[in-house]
Amino acid sequence: MNNTLKLIELNGQYLADSRDVAEMTGKRHSDLIRTIKGYIDTILTDAKLRSSDFFITSTYEDSKGEIRPCFLLTKKGCEMVANKMTGEKGVLFTAEYVT
């Protein structure tokens, strides 16, 4: 597990790439993507919430040159992912992003 969370600055906001979050937490990226999509579906059921306050849809080019989906996680998105995790990986991820 990678213990360093890389952040991207975009429009004055720091974001974490879902690929880095998956690596850091020891999850498969495809599993994390599925989990995030579930969070977004739930968030969208409340008119007062905006999913983009948590997760921003993005893409990346893989080693084959194919475009793949990913998400950029805001601080709120990181908190949501971390709060659902238990054990050592959840603690380490939470400690890293709050730092």
Side-chain angles (χ1 to χ4, degrees):
M1 176 172 73
N2 180 2
N3 287 333
T4 303
L5 183 61
K6 298 173 226 147
L7 296 177
I8 304 159
E9 185 176 0
L10 182 65
N11 299 324
Q13 183 176 28
Y14 289 100
L15 307 165
D17 188 303
S18 58
R19 294 171 293 162
D20 295 329
V21 172
E23 180 182 342
M24 185 174 184
T25 59
K27 285 188 161 202
R28 288 181 38 174
H29 187 242
S30 59
D31 292 341
L32 181 59
I33 291 286
R34 185 174 27 259
T35 298
I36 290 172
K37 286 179 179 178
Y39 294 158
I40 290 172
D41 289 344
T42 302
I43 289 167
L44 292 175
T45 64
D46 186 329
K48 293 179 266 177
L49 297 174
R50 293 179 38 197
S51 63
S52 62
D53 288 340
F54 299 84
F55 308 104
I56 300 168
T57 304
S58 188
T59 59
Y60 70 97
E61 187 175 327
D62 70 10
S63 59
K64 298 178 199 174
E66 296 178 3
I67 302 300
R68 302 281 182 194
C70 68
F71 287 98
L72 299 177
L73 286 72
T74 67
K75 183 177 180 191
K76 287 181 181 181
C78 285
E79 288 179 19
M80 183 171 289
V81 169
N83 286 333
K84 299 295 184 185
M85 296 181 72
T86 59
E88 181 180 338
K89 291 178 183 178
V91 170
L92 292 173
F93 176 66
T94 303
E96 185 67 29
Y97 87 78
V98 297
T99 300

